[in-house]
Amino acid sequence: MRMLINVAETVVADALRGMAAAHPELTVDVDNRVIVRRDAPVAGKVALVSGGGSGHEPLHGGFVGPGMLSAACPGEVFTSPVPDQMVRAAAAVDSGAGVLFVVKNYTGDVLNFDMAAELAEDEGIRIAKVLVDDDVAVTDSLFTAGRRGTGATLFVEKIAGAAADEGQPLERVEAVARQVDDNSRSFGVALSAVTTPAKGSPTFDLPDGELELGIGIHGEPGRERRPMMTSGEIADFAVNAILEDMNPRNPVLLLVNGMGATPLLELYGFNAEVHRVLAERGVAVARTLVGNYVTSLDMAGASVTLCQIDEELLRLWDAPVNTPGLRWGL
C-alpha cells in the first residue's frame, strides 16, 4: 500500500490536526470530530451543519466558513459521523435562529442526522433538514434507498449558505436548499477503483481497459461496465443520462467534478466535451466549476452535476464565499 499516512487507524485524526494547522480561521476539535467556523455563532444567522464519512475532501470540512457551512462533522473513512458529533456542532453554531442539517442520502447519514435532530430539539435548538439525492445513475445502491447524494451537495451548501449569511429565516433557507436539490442531477464515471486506508487495496475489481458508468462516491457499482471510452463519448453518455431525467428550461450551473485522482488537464478537456454536448442539446450554461470537490479518495474518474437556476439562485451562487475548498468574491 502506497499512501502518505502513518497508520490507517489515525488517518482522520491526523488530517484534522493538519487542517487545524493550515486554517486558523476554523476551530477544529480533533477529539470530538467537529469543524466550526471560528466566528460562530453569528448573531441572528441561521447555521448550516453537514457531514459524512471522510474521504470526500474538500467535502464537507473544506466548505466551512463565511458563505457556506457553519460546521461540519467528519466520520471515519466512508462511515457516517455519529449523532453526538452533529448535536455538538449544532450547539456550537446555533445563534437562536435555527440550524439546517444538509444530509446526503446514505442510510447511515440519514439515520444519524434524524437522531441528532431529535436530540438537538430536546436541547431547545430549532432544526430543519434537507436531503440531497441528485444521482440519476441508480435508484437504490449498496448504501442507500433511493437516489444517492453526490455533487449537488456542493450546490446546496453554497447557495443555502449564502441565503443564511444574508439573514434569511430558517424556513426560507430550508426552502432554497430544497429548491436546489430538486433542480439538480448528477452522473459519475470511474476509471479506476478506490483504495481505502483500512483495506489497503482496491475495494472493487475494475480490469484494465474498462470503466464503470454511474458509480457513487464510495465506489458503489453503476449502471454498467464498458470498454474504455473517449472523453467525448463519456460526456455524451453522462449528460444524456442526466437530461433523460431533467429538461432544463432555464440556464444551469455546471459542476465537472474530479473523483480524487483525475488531473485538471483531463478535467478541463472533459469539461469542453460536456459543454459541447449541452450546446448540442440546447442547454445554456450560466456558470461552470471544474475541479476535485466531491471526491472518493484516490479514485480516477469524474462526475457531472447540473442545477437549473433562476436569477435568485444565480445571485446566491455568485455571493462571496471564503472556505478552504471554495473561495471567491472577496
Side-chain angles (χ1 to χ4, degrees):
M1 179 175 66
R2 295 182 180 180
M3 290 184 174
L4 195 63
I5 65 173
N6 292 316
V7 294
E9 292 77 13
T10 67
V11 164
V12 176
D14 291 345
L16 290 175
R17 289 191 296 107
M19 188 174 198
H23 296 286
E25 72 276 15
L26 302 178
T27 299
V28 182
D29 185 337
V30 177
D31 293 332
N32 293 306
R33 305 286 175 91
V34 176
I35 303 164
V36 179
R37 52 185 284 183
R38 189 170 288 278
D39 61 351
V42 180
K45 175 188 175 301
V46 170
L48 267 69
V49 173
S50 192
S54 297
H56 306 304
E57 290 74 19
L59 189 80
H60 295 274
F63 296 148
V64 174
M68 224 162 167
L69 294 176
S70 306
C73 309
E76 290 297 327
V77 172
F78 293 177
T79 302
S80 172
V82 297
D84 284 352
Q85 290 174 259
M86 302 160 186
V87 175
R88 186 174 284 108
V93 299
D94 179 40
S95 68
V99 176
L100 177 68
F101 284 165
V102 179
V103 187
K104 300 189 306 301
N105 188 30
Y106 294 96
T107 301
D109 291 354
V110 172
L111 292 174
N112 286 342
F113 270 103
D114 283 348
M115 186 179 300
E118 295 178 6
L119 295 171
E121 287 170 343
D122 287 343
E123 295 185 8
I125 302 172
R126 283 200 302 146
I127 299 290
K129 293 177 295 184
V130 61
L131 188 67
V132 183
D133 55 354
D134 54 303
D135 184 13
V136 303
V138 294
T139 301
D140 298 297
S141 75
L142 299 177
F143 289 82
T144 190
R147 290 182 168 178
R148 304 174 291 213
T150 56
T153 313
L154 184 153
F155 289 159
V156 171
E157 293 177 355
K158 170 61 185 77
I159 293 174
D165 267 21
E166 289 184 348
Q168 297 191 30
L170 181 60
E171 295 76 15
R172 176 58 186 158
V173 175
E174 178 187 9
V176 166
R178 291 187 185 281
Q179 181 183 358
V180 173
D181 178 65
D182 289 344
N183 288 352
S184 297
R185 302 289 188 275
S186 296
F187 191 90
V189 179
L191 309 182
S192 72
V194 58
T195 300
T196 63
K199 190 171 188 293
S201 60
T203 57
F204 63 94
D205 177 44
L206 186 58
D208 290 343
E210 296 187 1
L211 78 168
E212 186 86 19
L213 295 163
I215 49 86
I217 57 175
H218 307 95
E220 306 98 313
R223 287 188 177 182
E224 60 181 286
R225 185 168 294 182
R226 287 190 179 185
M228 187 60 197
M229 301 157 66
T230 66
S231 176
E233 291 168 340
I234 295 170
D236 282 323
F237 194 101
V239 174
N240 288 332
I242 291 172
L243 295 182
E244 286 173 2
D245 201 85
M246 70 184 301
N247 181 27
R249 296 178 299 279
N250 295 346
V252 298
L253 298 176
L254 166 62
L255 170 62
V256 172
N257 173 68
M259 302 307 295
T262 306
L264 275 172
L265 180 70
E266 296 177 28
L267 289 177
Y268 278 120
F270 183 55
N271 179 55
E273 295 296 339
V274 171
H275 271 260
R276 170 188 60 78
V277 180
L278 290 170
E280 291 172 354
R281 297 290 299 269
V283 178
V285 179
R287 300 286 188 274
T288 303
L289 184 64
V290 179
N292 289 282
Y293 293 101
V294 183
T295 63
S296 184
L297 290 172
D298 63 343
M299 180 187 288
S303 62
V304 177
T305 303
L306 302 181
C307 176
Q308 182 177 216
I309 56 165
D310 55 22
E311 290 184 3
E312 175 67 1
L313 294 186
L314 183 60
R315 184 185 69 80
L316 293 169
W317 174 257
D318 286 340
V321 59
N322 186 13
T323 72
L326 203 66
R327 183 179 295 119
W328 62 64
L330 303 175

